[in-house]
Amino acid sequence: MALLPILEFPDPRLRTVAAEVDPAELATPEFQRLIDAMFETMYAAPGIGLAASQVDVHKRFMVIDVSEDRSRPLVFVNPRIVASEGGQVYQEGCLSVPGIFADVTRADTITVEFLDRHGQPQVLTCDGLLAVCIQHEMDHLIGKLFVDYLSPLKREMVRKKLQKAKRAAAA
Ligand code: GNR
Ligand code: NI
């Protein structure tokens, strides 16, 4: 299956707020193929998560695998954080902001309710990198990027750096 192109900052399409997934649509072969293509794209990148928004599909779901051996695929459909506690700082990166890394503060422990790829309701409490990744992906689904947590000046520096990298690649 072909890899999906990943949108890059400052593409305005990354600012789209995703719509809830209809469970009937989730059950279709087309949607299941889209989930598989997102995993393939995430593993190839390589990344630990990929939100549908990043591949220009504006529906509320994401794929994640934070395991060392890339053997624990997770699908979160219509995710909702129902509890969060504490704080942690993690140096984040993003496939849509390539080559940029910055510290972001997020909740330490979260409880998230979601549907799995089979449409089954699930509840998961987690912390550490998985909690960071879930919060990072859920931000994508509301059009938010980790660089939005930086100062406007730093964000402008990021934009210029990516623009310069793109010009160098085209030359
Ligand atoms: O691959 C990714 N690594 C990562 C590292 C720290 C915090 C968040 C992430 S998510 C990122 C993939 C991505 O951009 N998902 O939207
Ligand atoms: Ni990202």
Side-chain angles (χ1 to χ4, degrees):
M1 187 179 284
L3 301 181
L4 304 168
I6 297 175
L7 301 180
E8 291 184 3
F9 175 76
D11 192 312
R13 290 172 292 180
L14 286 168
R15 299 310 188 174
T16 311
V17 177
E20 288 280 302
V21 175
D22 177 348
E25 191 193 355
L26 177 59
T28 63
E30 291 74 24
F31 207 102
Q32 293 295 313
R33 272 200 294 273
L34 174 59
I35 290 171
D36 291 337
M38 282 181 51
F39 273 118
E40 206 174 331
T41 302
M42 178 193 80
Y43 286 129
I48 59 170
L50 187 68
S53 317
Q54 293 177 276
V55 293
D56 206 19
V57 174
H58 301 288
K59 297 175 185 175
R60 275 190 72 75
F61 74 102
M62 67 241 195
V63 300
I64 290 179
D65 189 340
V66 297
S67 70
E68 290 282 342
D69 60 357
R70 322 293 275 152
S71 66
R72 294 267 179 280
L74 297 170
V75 180
F76 296 81
V77 178
N78 298 338
R80 203 160 58 91
I81 292 176
V82 295
S84 63
E85 210 177 299
Q88 61 173 322
V89 178
Y90 199 93
Q91 180 168 283
E92 298 197 12
C94 181
L95 296 173
S96 296
V97 194
I100 307 291
F101 301 89
D103 281 354
V104 178
T105 304
R106 299 195 188 266
D108 178 56
T109 307
I110 60 170
T111 300
V112 57
E113 292 183 356
F114 59 101
L115 303 179
D116 65 21
R117 70 181 297 165
H118 309 296
Q120 297 300 312
Q122 304 287 345
V123 187
L124 174 72
T125 299
C126 60
D127 60 10
L129 181 58
L130 180 54
V132 168
C133 192
I134 290 170
Q135 292 172 84
H136 175 113
E137 304 313 337
M138 285 182 69
D139 270 355
H140 277 300
L141 300 179
I142 55 168
K144 191 164 177 142
L145 302 173
F146 85 100
V147 291
D148 297 345
Y149 295 101
L150 307 179
S151 69
L153 177 66
K154 276 195 180 158
R155 192 161 52 253
E156 187 56 18
M157 284 166 57
V158 167
R159 194 185 61 74
K160 285 188 176 142
K161 188 174 170 184
L162 290 187
Q163 196 179 49
K164 195 171 167 186
K166 209 161 266 181
R167 268 203 309 271

